[in-house]
Amino acid sequence: MQYCSTRGGVGGWSFRDVLFSGYAPDGGMFMPETLPVLDPDTLRSWRGLSYPKVVVEVASLFIPPQFIPRDDLAGLVGEALSGFSVPEVVRVARLEDGLTVLELFHGETLAFKDLAMSCTVHFLSYFLKKESRRAVVVVGTSGDTGGSAIQSAKGVPGLDVVVVYPRGRVTPVQEKHMTTCLEDNVHVFAADGSSDDIDQPLRRLFADQQLVLDHGLMSLNSVNWSRILVQLAHFIYAYLELSGVERAGVGAALPELEVVVPTGGAGNIAAGFIVKQMGVPLRLVAMVNSNDIVHRTVTHGDFSMADEVTQTLATAIDIQDPYNMERVFWLLLGRDGASVKAMMEEFQRSHRHSLSEEQRRLLSSVLTTGAVSDEGILETMRRCWEENRYLLCPHTAVAVWHHYHCPHSGGVNRCYVATASPAKFQAAVQRAGLPFSPPAALRALDGLPSRCRELRRGADWSRDWEDRLRRHIQDLDAARKSRSAPPP
């Protein structure tokens, strides 16, 4: 199993290589050069496996044993997922009128990103110990990724984590999950801008290959293939639990499962599409908020950013640059790196690209979309509570809106991905007029000290932020060398 860039300039990398990376050197994103196929017998044999065991089975397809032996891999995944608040790690809620919710939010920061993040950090720690090396993780976040990266990486020997979040565009709980962690290896920056603004200087940092090599720079955003790899397990586990595959006899066609996903950076949708390419019969629905670039791309071929990011109740998907769509385009276009490179470089330069009608039809044949306003989010939260006494977070409500407005025709089971706990979005719950009592762990955050550095918006803010982050990364390295130098 080797990896290549979606833009065609890099190939033959190992899992270890791509784990310790961000964007590929040519600006693309890493993908497996070939995808394994899951045949019906394999899927049937996996039926009944726990979520952690599904992760091990999936990960072993992409991580050769010469890098992480199978027994070590099982131990790492087991340890990574041992601290979740429900024993099954991922829980399925079966509600009224056929509404089935896949709860992915039972980790420490109450978001789905804890699943892949905790596994990825354990993989990193395995290699850092084995090779006696260090790395610097740089993460831009729209809210959930930063807290998850910090909680997973805090105190890990050999690893520093630098997180940049958009000040005023995250919830108080999301912010406290980042700023109240005072471990020496955690470095938090609050930027005056959107998460898409933050991505601009971070892309340039990762494009500086000398900086990357000198300081062990890497990403824990879903740019990192390992994050996507673990997210494949979400879809395979959902299929095994909810499709009815156990009722399909030997030789019979496998049943389909429709999976509805709230979508921002499109990491989950990319993972779902990869699983579909591996032979699992999925129907994928990407639901977005008012930042509707994915919806416009599928319905009109309009892959272009709006003038600015719209702030919504579903803050973690307030994104106009769904960067993981590059992985989807690469698969759709037959792994044509040159075409993807031209498409994405135009998009990054002008913030717009128009798909050909043939490309748009190809995309719409594998992905259905919808867009939901804040009023639609609130309406969905209220209705789900009234009918089920079940509280949705605003992101999950973006997905579940589809249940109430696109009636299920039957014949194919359907599930909705719950990406975060409503406990993280108290203002949205209150605005919906619903009862809510925050758990003790969140109330405890209020009394903790906090710290972060500021990235203010000046005339040349993007370059200023890049320079400031670059100096901080260099200073981290200098400080480490000073601490490890022998006394005179």
Side-chain angles (χ1 to χ4, degrees):
M1 176 60 69
Q2 293 184 313
Y3 295 84
C4 62
S5 169
T6 51
R7 301 190 187 181
V10 178
W13 283 40
S14 70
F15 173 77
R16 183 216 164 277
D17 295 333
V18 300
L19 177 67
F20 282 96
S21 71
Y23 291 96
D26 63 354
M29 305 178 80
F30 282 110
M31 284 285 284
E33 292 184 353
T34 59
L35 290 175
V37 174
L38 297 176
D39 59 48
D41 288 342
T42 298
L43 289 171
R44 290 188 185 95
S45 72
W46 287 0
R47 176 73 179 92
L49 292 182
S50 66
Y51 176 82
K53 288 184 177 179
V54 171
V55 173
V56 173
E57 293 294 342
V58 174
S60 67
L61 299 175
F62 295 91
I63 306 175
Q66 64 264 35
F67 292 102
I68 305 180
R70 170 75 178 228
D71 287 347
D72 289 353
L73 180 64
L76 293 171
V77 170
E79 185 178 342
L81 301 177
S82 63
F84 282 64
S85 62
V86 296
E88 61 268 47
V89 181
V90 168
R91 177 172 286 177
V92 175
R94 291 177 170 85
L95 307 177
E96 293 294 325
D97 192 30
L99 175 57
T100 303
V101 178
L102 185 71
E103 298 179 350
L104 303 180
F105 54 73
H106 294 291
E108 188 167 0
T109 72
L110 307 179
F112 81 97
K113 298 181 181 185
D114 293 333
L115 293 161
M117 193 74 74
S118 58
C119 291
T120 296
V121 169
H122 275 71
F123 300 158
L124 286 172
S125 181
Y126 179 86
F127 285 109
L128 292 173
K129 291 175 185 174
K130 186 177 179 180
E131 301 172 8
S132 299
R133 61 168 291 180
R134 301 190 66 89
V136 177
V137 168
V138 179
V139 172
T141 183
S142 57
D144 286 332
T145 300
S148 184
I150 287 168
Q151 297 304 320
S152 296
K154 64 183 181 183
V156 173
L159 195 64
D160 280 288
V161 56
V162 177
V163 170
V164 188
Y165 75 91
R167 184 209 316 273
R169 294 173 182 255
V170 299
T171 71
V173 171
Q174 288 173 319
E175 187 168 42
K176 288 167 187 170
H177 273 145
M178 293 182 276
T179 61
T180 60
C181 185
L182 306 183
E183 297 277 353
D184 289 342
N185 72 324
V186 172
H187 316 270
V188 180
F189 290 81
D192 289 334
S194 70
S195 61
D196 287 345
D197 292 336
I198 291 167
D199 283 342
Q200 296 179 36
L202 297 195
R203 276 184 181 269
R204 289 196 297 272
L205 290 174
F206 281 110
D208 183 343
Q209 287 305 295
Q210 196 60 54
L211 183 76
V212 170
L213 292 172
D214 288 348
H215 303 286
L217 210 64
M218 58 166 294
S219 173
L220 276 181
N221 287 90
S222 56
V223 169
N224 191 305
W225 163 252
S226 179
R227 286 272 312 278
I228 300 298
L229 163 58
V230 179
Q231 287 173 207
L232 305 182
H234 306 346
F235 291 87
I236 294 172
Y237 181 76
Y239 183 80
L240 296 171
E241 289 294 307
L242 301 172
S243 68
V245 64
E246 70 279 5
R247 296 191 296 273
V250 175
L254 292 176
E256 288 186 303
L257 176 69
E258 184 174 272
V259 186
V260 186
V261 186
T263 300
N268 262 334
I269 280 297
F273 187 55
I274 292 166
V275 169
K276 185 178 176 71
Q277 292 266 304
M278 291 168 65
V280 180
L282 298 178
R283 294 182 187 177
L284 297 173
V285 181
M287 297 297 296
V288 300
N289 60 20
S290 298
N291 298 285
D292 62 351
I293 180 171
V294 172
H295 179 54
R296 287 185 284 108
T297 302
V298 171
T299 55
H300 302 296
D302 177 20
F303 187 53
S304 62
M305 293 187 189
D307 291 337
E308 60 183 22
V309 174
T310 301
Q311 291 185 257
T312 76
L313 294 172
T315 55
I317 56 174
D318 286 348
I319 293 173
Q320 285 284 349
D321 181 1
Y323 49 86
N324 275 293
M325 286 300 292
E326 180 164 343
R327 288 179 159 123
V328 174
F329 294 146
W330 183 73
L331 289 171
L332 274 179
L333 298 180
R335 298 170 168 80
D336 183 349
S339 294
V340 172
K341 176 180 170 68
M343 173 190 298
M344 297 310 300
E345 287 184 350
E346 179 189 355
F347 177 74
Q348 286 166 2
R349 183 177 59 254
S350 66
H351 293 168
R352 62 187 62 253
H353 174 81
S354 294
L355 271 63
S356 69
E357 181 56 22
E358 180 182 356
Q359 291 170 340
R360 189 205 67 77
R361 282 200 303 268
L362 195 59
L363 180 60
S364 65
S365 71
V366 297
L367 183 62
T368 303
T369 60
V372 185
S373 66
D374 273 1
E375 282 308 309
I377 290 172
L378 295 172
E379 165 208 304
T380 302
M381 292 172 70
R382 293 183 189 115
R383 182 166 175 181
C384 188
W385 176 258
E386 290 166 2
E387 295 182 2
N388 300 281
R389 287 300 185 261
Y390 185 87
L391 202 55
L392 300 171
C393 92
H395 308 79
T396 309
V398 168
V400 173
W401 183 93
H402 183 76
H403 174 76
Y404 295 121
H405 295 269
C406 302
H408 194 198
S409 58
V412 175
N413 291 344
R414 176 193 276 180
C415 81
Y416 297 84
V417 174
T419 52
S421 165
K424 298 187 76 169
F425 302 95
Q426 299 169 31
V429 174
Q430 291 167 354
R431 185 167 162 185
L434 301 177
F436 177 74
S437 177
L442 293 190
R443 293 197 301 271
L445 291 174
D446 292 335
L448 296 178
S450 64
R451 72 177 181 201
C452 71
R453 299 165 175 86
E454 296 183 345
L455 294 176
R456 297 196 177 278
R457 197 177 188 91
D460 193 13
W461 56 270
S462 185
R463 290 292 178 185
D464 289 344
W465 295 0
E466 178 189 349
D467 291 344
R468 177 90 179 276
L469 292 168
R470 184 187 302 273
R471 288 195 301 272
H472 188 80
I473 291 163
Q474 292 166 338
D475 289 346
L476 286 176
D477 202 32
R480 285 199 303 267
K481 289 175 180 176
S482 174
R483 287 194 299 269
S484 62

